[in-house]
Amino acid sequence: MLRKKIISLTLVASLISSILVGCGGSNSTNNNTSGDKVTITFWHTFSDTEKVVFNKQVLPEFEKAHPNIKVKAVTMPTNGLKQQVVQAVNSSSGPDVMRMDIIWVPEFANMGSLKELGGLDGFKAIKDSSFEAPMNTTKWKEKYYGVPQDTNTKVALYSKSLLKEAGLNEAPKTMDDLISAAEKLKGKYKSGLLGIAGTEAWAMSPWFLSLGGKYCDDKYTKADGYINSADSVAALEKIVKLNDEGVIGKTMLGGQPGTWDGIKKSQYLMIDDGPWFYSILKDEAKQKAEAALIPEGKGGSISVIGGEDLVMFQNTKHEKESWEFMKFMCSKKVQVELEQKASLMPTNKDAANDPKVTADPIEKIYLDQMKTAWARIPNPKFEEMNNKIQKTFEAAIRHKGTPKDLLDQLAKDMDALFAQSK
């Protein structure tokens, strides 16, 4: 680390100060004295398209509004990123701010690596203006360790041709209607009609939750009495039955066609997926698929939350400047801009209701689904819980135990993990 030396020559001192500012990073010894320019380091995993919008438009806007703050934006590789963050935290060489996967936030908060933000000026305004589910992803032990930067969820995507073949003029609004339509077609489609992408929480949640199941209590502290409740058992039994009857697609257990191919080739009546289905497939997606809310079952029309949060690391020496940047990124103006030019769904409700955003009928469906979407258990042990969820649901579908017995054991396993993180 560079150290400032006390030198009587003012010109030389100024030169050294400017060099230190140029080094950036949370380990620099910049002091925000009057007239100094502070550099903060920001780690992110923006895609190529997202990065262009951020670097060319959003970042210059921030630095113009905050001429005393320079943001050193660093694109991080997705492979091995979590371990890289752990190593950086342990060596105090991490960034000031990071755009972090929502699933990691409670884990790094529990490690003591993240700053608690609830008491900072302007935090309440961000909290009040954000969708509830994305905001929940920043929370650990009743404290907030981040702000939601961008979000996503999944909606129902229907094959237009198979909807017509089933005699439907519009997408089914209920699970019963969806299953009835699929059963009309199943004799012709041996690979199944409903494309569920797997048995872990991200893939299974829209089905399990909408059919009436629950993974845990609303405060994310307990599984027993929820994951193994009568409603949860009935929801899993229904999924097992639909699979046995050939209604659910083979892709759930790794078979073909995959979900996207099943829609593109008119082999699946319905799948569920995020807005990237349209941003990647573009015209083909609009030609082949019709988007709609997840059909409503006993639990309602429930989907699942993805996305990224902005977090600030404990080792930052520039809390004030880092927080200014984070607030800026959560502002309505920036969130609308990122949605319009980079297809990033806003977490800010005012941005989500902006006419520029709601003018897109497909985007509006995703944003409407956000109102009832579920934040996957914000807990440091979630990845271990998710692994047990995946194996339990797969075991039930393969008839390696009854749904009731398997969910009773899952409740015990999940509560043991909840206990470890108290």
Side-chain angles (χ1 to χ4, degrees):
M1 182 187 297
L2 292 173
R3 295 182 178 176
K4 290 185 180 179
K5 296 180 179 180
I6 302 175
I7 300 173
S8 60
L9 296 175
T10 304
L11 181 60
V12 178
S14 299
L15 177 59
I16 291 175
S17 178
S18 66
I19 291 171
L20 286 171
V21 169
C23 291
S26 57
N27 281 334
S28 74
T29 55
N30 300 320
N31 296 309
N32 192 17
T33 56
S34 178
D36 285 347
K37 191 166 187 176
V38 170
T39 296
I40 62 172
T41 301
F42 171 50
W43 284 6
H44 66 80
T45 55
F46 285 129
S47 70
D48 289 344
T49 299
E50 295 162 358
K51 187 166 58 176
V52 168
V53 176
F54 174 74
N55 287 335
K56 300 295 185 182
Q57 298 179 51
V58 175
L59 195 50
E61 290 171 10
F62 173 77
E63 292 182 342
K64 182 178 179 180
H66 301 82
N68 65 316
I69 306 174
K70 171 71 176 176
V71 178
K72 181 182 177 182
V74 181
T75 304
M76 301 299 291
T78 54
N79 290 336
L81 177 57
K82 186 176 181 181
Q83 186 56 37
Q84 195 167 348
V85 177
V86 171
Q87 291 172 351
V89 166
N90 289 339
S91 62
S92 298
S93 61
D96 299 283
V97 179
M98 180 177 176
R99 178 177 177 258
M100 179 178 282
D101 191 295
I102 59 173
I103 295 303
W104 297 354
V105 175
E107 185 172 353
F108 282 95
N110 194 53
M111 290 166 54
S113 304
L114 306 180
K115 278 192 175 289
E116 200 277 315
L117 306 178
L120 296 183
D121 180 52
F123 177 83
K124 186 178 184 300
I126 293 176
K127 179 177 178 291
D128 291 345
S129 65
S130 297
F131 284 109
E132 181 179 1
M135 200 68 222
N136 282 341
T137 69
T138 72
K139 195 174 183 180
W140 174 236
K141 292 186 176 180
E142 302 305 313
K143 294 183 178 181
Y144 293 93
Y145 292 90
V147 288
Q149 169 56 55
D150 53 80
T151 190
N152 58 68
T153 189
K154 300 195 293 180
V155 302
L157 302 172
Y158 292 90
S159 163
K160 290 183 177 181
S161 63
L162 265 65
L163 275 177
K164 184 176 180 180
E165 189 176 338
L168 298 176
N169 296 320
E170 61 179 9
K173 290 183 170 55
T174 69
M175 280 287 179
D176 287 344
D177 288 344
L178 169 63
I179 292 166
S180 177
E183 286 175 340
K184 291 179 184 178
L185 303 174
K186 70 179 183 181
K188 290 178 58 178
Y189 297 91
K190 304 300 182 183
S191 294
L193 275 301
L194 307 180
I196 303 177
T199 59
E200 41 78 35
W202 174 258
M204 188 58 68
S205 292
W207 304 88
F208 180 63
L209 296 175
S210 296
L211 286 168
K214 292 196 78 170
Y215 290 98
C216 62
D217 66 312
D218 292 339
K219 293 186 177 180
Y220 304 102
T221 61
K222 182 178 175 61
D224 189 37
Y226 298 91
I227 190 67
N228 57 343
S229 69
D231 284 344
S232 290
V233 172
L236 182 53
E237 287 175 342
K238 183 70 171 178
I239 291 167
V240 171
K241 182 174 183 288
L242 291 172
N243 186 69
D244 290 345
E245 294 173 348
V247 175
I248 292 178
K250 294 184 182 297
T251 187
M252 183 170 65
L253 296 179
Q256 296 298 323
T259 54
W260 285 21
D261 280 345
I263 290 292
K264 290 193 295 181
K265 296 177 181 179
S266 300
Q267 291 178 294
Y268 287 155
L269 171 63
M270 180 264 212
I271 66 171
D272 60 276
D273 217 330
W276 44 84
F277 178 83
Y278 287 94
S279 61
I280 293 174
L281 296 182
K282 301 186 185 302
D283 289 343
E284 184 179 16
K286 293 179 180 179
Q287 291 167 3
K288 293 285 186 178
E290 178 177 332
L293 296 178
I294 298 293
E296 185 173 349
K298 185 172 184 178
S301 169
I302 313 295
S303 192
V304 62
I305 285 291
E308 286 80 22
D309 296 330
L310 292 179
V311 298
M312 188 191 310
F313 286 90
Q314 284 284 8
N315 65 339
T316 180
K317 292 179 173 62
H318 304 304
E319 177 182 300
K320 179 181 177 181
E321 292 79 11
S322 296
W323 181 234
E324 285 299 321
F325 174 64
M326 294 168 77
K327 288 193 294 183
F328 180 82
M329 292 293 287
C330 292
S331 65
K332 175 184 176 181
K333 181 179 185 299
V334 170
Q335 295 239 320
V336 170
E337 191 168 20
L338 287 171
E339 190 280 334
Q340 291 285 287
K341 298 175 181 177
S343 299
L344 289 174
M345 283 182 64
T347 59
N348 180 300
K349 289 182 286 188
D350 290 336
N353 290 322
D354 189 279
K356 295 177 184 176
V357 176
T358 57
D360 182 339
I362 293 174
E363 182 77 348
K364 188 176 186 306
I365 291 169
Y366 278 97
L367 290 166
D368 285 344
Q369 189 72 72
M370 282 288 303
K371 298 171 185 176
T372 58
W374 176 69
R376 287 167 290 168
I377 306 169
N379 188 285
K381 297 292 183 179
F382 173 71
E383 291 185 2
E384 294 176 58
M385 292 182 191
N386 194 36
N387 183 52
K388 292 184 180 298
I389 289 168
Q390 180 178 17
K391 290 179 178 178
T392 298
F393 277 60
E394 182 172 342
I397 291 160
R398 294 188 184 277
H399 293 281
K400 293 184 177 180
T402 68
K404 177 67 168 66
D405 289 344
L406 289 165
L407 292 179
D408 280 341
Q409 183 58 51
L410 178 59
K412 294 177 183 177
D413 293 341
M414 290 178 65
D415 277 351
L417 291 169
F418 276 124
Q420 290 177 29
S421 56
K422 284 184 179 178

